[in-house]
Amino acid sequence: MTNNHLAKSKVNINDEFYTRYIDIENELKHYDKEQFKDKIIYCNCDRYESNFLKYFKDNYDKYKYKLLIGTGFNPINVGSYYQFDGSKEIKRPLRYFGSFDSPECMKIFHRADIIVTNPPFSQYANLTYLLRKHNKDYLLIGNIVAVT
């Protein structure tokens, strides 16, 4: 078995690997739902169509979080902003590209209680650094190669 697609993604700007809904569901069943109660969950590498956003929206009654926010990167246009509070859904463009480490997204990052996402392969180390530097609770779901 070869991992050429992973090796290419190290140098490829478009190195997104989308996480399947079932994989998110299978991982989150191991966590105490109380860990999310009344918290702001920020999916900082997740566009509107993200399965992380879909999963948390579908399971609002289970987790009873305070707010779900997602921002997504767009290298050729403005990024995307998503928000759900249990009843109202907001979708709008960001002012800039939407990189998770941009000033616009870092303001949201600092407000958040828990970061849940699958960052682009090439950005795992950068995001992990920010999470540890700012002492954030987080759940990163991704390929084992990214972790190593």
Side-chain angles (χ1 to χ4, degrees), residues 1-2 15 19 21 29 37-38 44 50-51 53 65 68 73-74 77 84-85 89 92 97 105 110 113 115 126:
M1 180 173 236
T2 180
D15 64 348
T19 308
Y21 192 98
K29 71 182 177 187
K37 187 176 180 179
D38 298 321
N44 63 343
S50 162
N51 285 322
L53 298 176
Y65 52 83
L68 172 63
F73 178 71
N74 184 339
N77 203 342
F84 181 70
D85 66 2
E89 185 176 52
R92 65 171 173 79
F97 293 116
C105 293
H110 289 299
D113 298 301
I115 309 299
N126 295 338

Side-chain angles (χ1 to χ4, degrees), residues 120-145:
F121 184 73
S122 65
Q123 295 298 314
Y124 249 86
N126 295 338
L127 180 55
T128 303
Y129 169 78
L130 286 174
L131 292 166
R132 290 182 177 172
K133 177 182 176 185
H134 297 284
N135 199 29
K136 287 292 183 181
D137 288 337
Y138 64 92
L139 172 60
L140 301 182
I141 299 176
N143 189 295
I144 192 68
V145 175

Side-chain angles (χ1 to χ4, degrees), residues 52-88:
F52 285 101
L53 298 176
K54 288 177 191 171
Y55 176 81
F56 280 112
K57 182 182 178 201
D58 290 350
N59 290 282
Y60 175 79
D61 291 333
K62 179 179 180 179
Y63 292 103
K64 297 187 183 348
Y65 52 83
K66 180 179 182 180
L67 189 64
L68 172 63
I69 300 172
T71 54
F73 178 71
N74 184 339
I76 57 172
N77 203 342
V78 294
S80 60
Y81 177 88
Y82 175 87
Q83 180 177 305
F84 181 70
D85 66 2
S87 60
K88 185 178 177 186

